[in-house]
Amino acid sequence: MRQAAEVDIHDSKLSMAYIYIAFAALFLGTMAGVVQGLVRGGLIELPYSISYYQLLTAHGVLLALVLTTYFIYGFLHAGMSRTLGTMTPFERRLGWIGFWVLTIGTLLSFAMILTNDASVLYTFYAPLQASPLYYVGLTLFVVGTWIGGASLLAHYIRWKKQNRGQITPLFSFMTVGTILLWFVASIGVAATVLLQFLPWSLGLVDNINILLSRTLFWYFGHPLVYFWLLPAYIAWYVCIPKIIGGKLFSDSLARLAFVLFLLFSIPVGFHHQLMEAGISEFWKYLQVVLTFAVIVPSLLTAFSIFATFELAGRAKGARGAFGWVRKLPFKDARFFAPFMGMLFFIPAGTGGIINASNQMNAVVHNTLWVVGHFHITVGSTVILTFFGIAYWLIPVLRGRAFTARMNKLAMTQTILWTVGMFFMSGAMHLLGLLGAPRRTAYTTYQDHATAAAWFDGVFANQVTMALGGVILFVASMLMIYIVINLAFFAPKAHTEFPIGEVAEDAGETPRILENWKLWIGIAIALILFAYTIPLMDMIQNAPPGSPPFRPW
């Protein structure tokens, strides 16, 4: 007798639409990345018609925004359908509208990058100016995510009305937290694009307030990191326990961590602007303090996840202080890839503390250290977890099997990605400590003695960085092959959507953790406290502003 699908077939089609675009972005983004890395290492030269900064912009936008956002929405829609039941036609239609608005915005912005009319890098800092169509595309991108998020929240609200008094399944609770964080954070980028960049690019105003634009961007830019991380945490908390044959250590700790991320990950953008003139030391200090508060839910997550691992190992007979480690299924790529992402998060989190510290930030700011940190945070912790999710999610949605052969290839892919990132990100960190700047193409700085150290080291070398990029490119192409196989050629089979259970002796989950009105209210209060006076000062005491620059 054939088993029922884990996710409704109509909901599966919506999720797969997002996932197809996500991996198309991986394909194009890594192609741009490997060429850019080879240029930065001085190994190749680009033809005159292609700009290095054009490639750098495409690489950042495709991988940091498009790949992550599309995969997250595909994953969350599937998980909500699995844990709360099939979406209604209205909810699904809302999801499709969000998908198409998002896709139109993506294509429009990418077209401007291809025509070299938007080589403004991933952060699109003013006074660099792109085509107005690029900013229109960014606006549609954000609006599309809002509509897609509305479909998820509508699904949740309907379920709560039909199941009054019940605790929301953990996957769905975390999905709501992730979407609420995105909604509140993305207001910043929507405001700067609509109210500043678009009128400026259309010639309606001559100048732009650069400090205000960067502040609104980083109001969004830091919680964006947690928008990437929280879906990875969902997999760690909810799916990994089932994969390893264990149970989650604590449901309450998991929910508390997500509430704390919502509270503390948004009013902290000034720690990206510690070297920025125009912001008083007091407000920088306040937001650095709030930044360090974000460490608490990260440590809660580390404790909870590794406690889950230990419980699973000991249930299988492990003895000794670390005997449980040997019981983990390291030969299962569905676990191995996210586990390697977890290990990467140890130096990534440490680097984040350094970046947010005023004195140490002065050393690494605007150097390759920051790029290396970004790659082991998003490019390793998040992306390796997303790869691990894809190994079982695509078979679930397509009704196919994750075969032993694909598992071996996935293990190889994970190892290649890990090795490539070790070389590339490791070299970036060391070069950054030596002073090598970011956002620059290949140059020897007229053979300056200081710059020579960036080329002559054994490991701290831009060629080493490029070598790591090549290995990552090979790993990406292998991942694309695996995705195509799992989606279209793997044997038909029923694959389980792994939803873990909570340990029997875990404490009862406090109802207050589901009081979203309370947590949103506190989050808004923290944001108003951290940003109202600084923003008023930036507007009332604004400098004359800057005209546009287009140096390409």
Side-chain angles (χ1 to χ4, degrees), residues 124-448:
F124 61 92
Y125 272 177
L128 295 179
Q129 188 186 82
S131 163
L133 293 178
Y134 180 72
Y135 302 119
V136 171
L138 288 181
T139 303
L140 292 174
F141 186 96
V142 173
V143 171
T145 63
W146 288 349
I147 298 171
S151 77
L152 293 168
L153 293 184
H155 194 178
Y156 164 75
I157 292 168
R158 175 175 60 84
W159 186 91
K160 289 295 287 184
K161 289 180 179 178
Q162 295 173 352
N163 298 270
R164 295 187 183 276
Q166 291 189 33
I167 289 287
T168 307
L170 185 58
F171 189 107
S172 301
F173 173 89
M174 291 177 163
T175 295
V176 172
T178 303
I179 294 302
L180 289 176
L181 181 144
W182 172 258
F183 277 7
V184 177
S186 56
I187 291 172
V189 72
T192 190
V193 169
L194 280 175
L195 302 180
Q196 289 189 280
F197 282 92
L198 197 52
W200 181 58
S201 66
L202 289 170
L204 302 178
V205 295
D206 295 328
N207 301 314
I208 189 170
N209 184 329
I210 292 177
L211 179 59
L212 179 62
S213 71
R214 291 184 182 181
T215 299
L216 289 173
F217 176 85
W218 284 116
Y219 165 90
F220 155 79
H222 186 78
L224 173 63
V225 174
Y226 289 95
F227 174 66
W228 297 325
L229 279 169
L230 292 188
Y233 287 175
I234 294 175
W236 296 1
Y237 276 116
V238 180
C239 305
I240 293 297
K242 183 71 172 180
I243 290 171
I244 67 174
K247 294 185 178 181
L248 178 62
F249 171 73
S250 172
D251 181 89
S252 300
L253 277 183
R255 294 175 194 258
L256 176 61
F258 268 63
V259 169
L260 293 178
F261 279 125
L262 175 63
L263 297 184
F264 295 123
S265 66
I266 300 175
V268 296
F270 285 170
H271 84 247
H272 289 269
Q273 298 174 274
L274 292 175
M275 300 297 108
E276 193 97 58
I279 304 173
S280 77
E281 288 78 5
F282 171 78
W283 294 109
K284 289 178 181 178
Y285 172 78
L286 174 70
Q287 294 206 17
V288 165
V289 171
L290 291 173
T291 300
F292 280 92
V294 183
I295 298 171
V296 175
S298 295
L299 292 177
L300 283 178
T301 297
F303 173 80
S304 185
I305 297 302
F306 279 88
T308 298
F309 292 168
E310 182 171 357
L311 286 176
R314 298 202 181 283
K316 296 174 182 178
R319 296 184 180 182
F322 299 101
W324 53 272
V325 176
R326 293 193 296 270
K327 298 293 183 178
L328 296 175
F330 292 110
K331 294 183 179 180
D332 185 343
R334 300 173 305 162
F335 168 75
F336 182 61
F339 181 78
M340 295 309 297
M342 295 175 195
L343 294 185
F344 267 116
F345 198 56
I346 297 171
T350 305
I353 295 171
I354 291 170
N355 295 342
S357 304
N358 186 60
Q359 294 89 338
M360 288 187 283
N361 182 267
V363 177
V364 300
H365 191 77
N366 271 340
T367 73
L368 275 172
W369 166 283
V370 177
V371 186
H373 167 73
F374 188 79
H375 277 85
I376 59 171
T377 305
V378 182
S380 301
T381 299
V382 172
I383 296 304
L384 280 172
T385 301
F386 286 1
F387 289 166
I389 294 169
Y391 297 147
W392 56 260
L393 180 60
I394 295 173
V396 166
L397 299 177
R398 294 287 294 155
R400 296 182 182 274
F402 182 50
T403 62
R405 176 174 172 268
M406 283 299 108
N407 184 67
K408 288 181 180 179
L409 286 178
M411 292 291 293
T412 302
Q413 193 275 339
T414 301
I415 292 169
L416 283 173
W417 192 274
T418 301
V419 171
M421 195 60 73
F422 172 78
F423 281 109
M424 188 180 77
S425 179
M428 286 176 171
H429 277 85
L430 292 176
L431 286 167
L433 290 176
L434 292 173
R438 56 182 170 140
R439 302 190 180 106
T440 58
Y442 173 75
T443 174
T444 63
Y445 295 88
Q446 297 179 332
D447 298 322
H448 192 279

Side-chain angles (χ1 to χ4, degrees), residues 37-195:
L38 291 171
V39 172
R40 175 65 189 251
L43 300 175
I44 64 171
E45 291 185 13
L46 289 172
Y48 179 76
S49 58
I50 300 177
S51 161
Y52 171 84
Y53 299 100
Q54 184 181 11
L55 284 175
L56 186 55
T57 304
H59 174 67
V61 169
L62 286 169
L63 297 186
L65 283 180
V66 180
L67 164 62
T68 54
T69 302
Y70 275 89
F71 189 88
I72 288 167
Y73 272 83
F75 177 44
L76 298 186
H77 274 92
M80 289 284 278
S81 180
R82 169 63 177 79
T83 55
L84 298 187
T86 303
M87 301 173 74
T88 64
F90 168 75
E91 293 159 359
R92 194 179 301 117
R93 191 178 308 115
L94 208 56
W96 277 110
I97 292 172
F99 170 81
W100 285 113
V101 173
L102 178 62
T103 302
I104 292 169
T106 299
L107 293 175
L108 185 57
S109 293
F110 187 56
M112 294 302 100
I113 295 172
L114 288 179
T115 57
N116 205 23
D117 287 319
S119 298
V120 290
L121 309 190
Y122 153 73
T123 49
F124 61 92
Y125 272 177
L128 295 179
Q129 188 186 82
S131 163
L133 293 178
Y134 180 72
Y135 302 119
V136 171
L138 288 181
T139 303
L140 292 174
F141 186 96
V142 173
V143 171
T145 63
W146 288 349
I147 298 171
S151 77
L152 293 168
L153 293 184
H155 194 178
Y156 164 75
I157 292 168
R158 175 175 60 84
W159 186 91
K160 289 295 287 184
K161 289 180 179 178
Q162 295 173 352
N163 298 270
R164 295 187 183 276
Q166 291 189 33
I167 289 287
T168 307
L170 185 58
F171 189 107
S172 301
F173 173 89
M174 291 177 163
T175 295
V176 172
T178 303
I179 294 302
L180 289 176
L181 181 144
W182 172 258
F183 277 7
V184 177
S186 56
I187 291 172
V189 72
T192 190
V193 169
L194 280 175
L195 302 180

Side-chain angles (χ1 to χ4, degrees), residues 476-496:
S476 298
M477 295 305 103
L478 183 55
M479 186 66 201
I480 296 298
Y481 173 78
I482 294 170
V483 167
I484 292 172
N485 180 276
L486 294 178
F488 301 107
F489 300 106
K492 288 285 187 179
H494 176 270
T495 299
E496 181 183 19

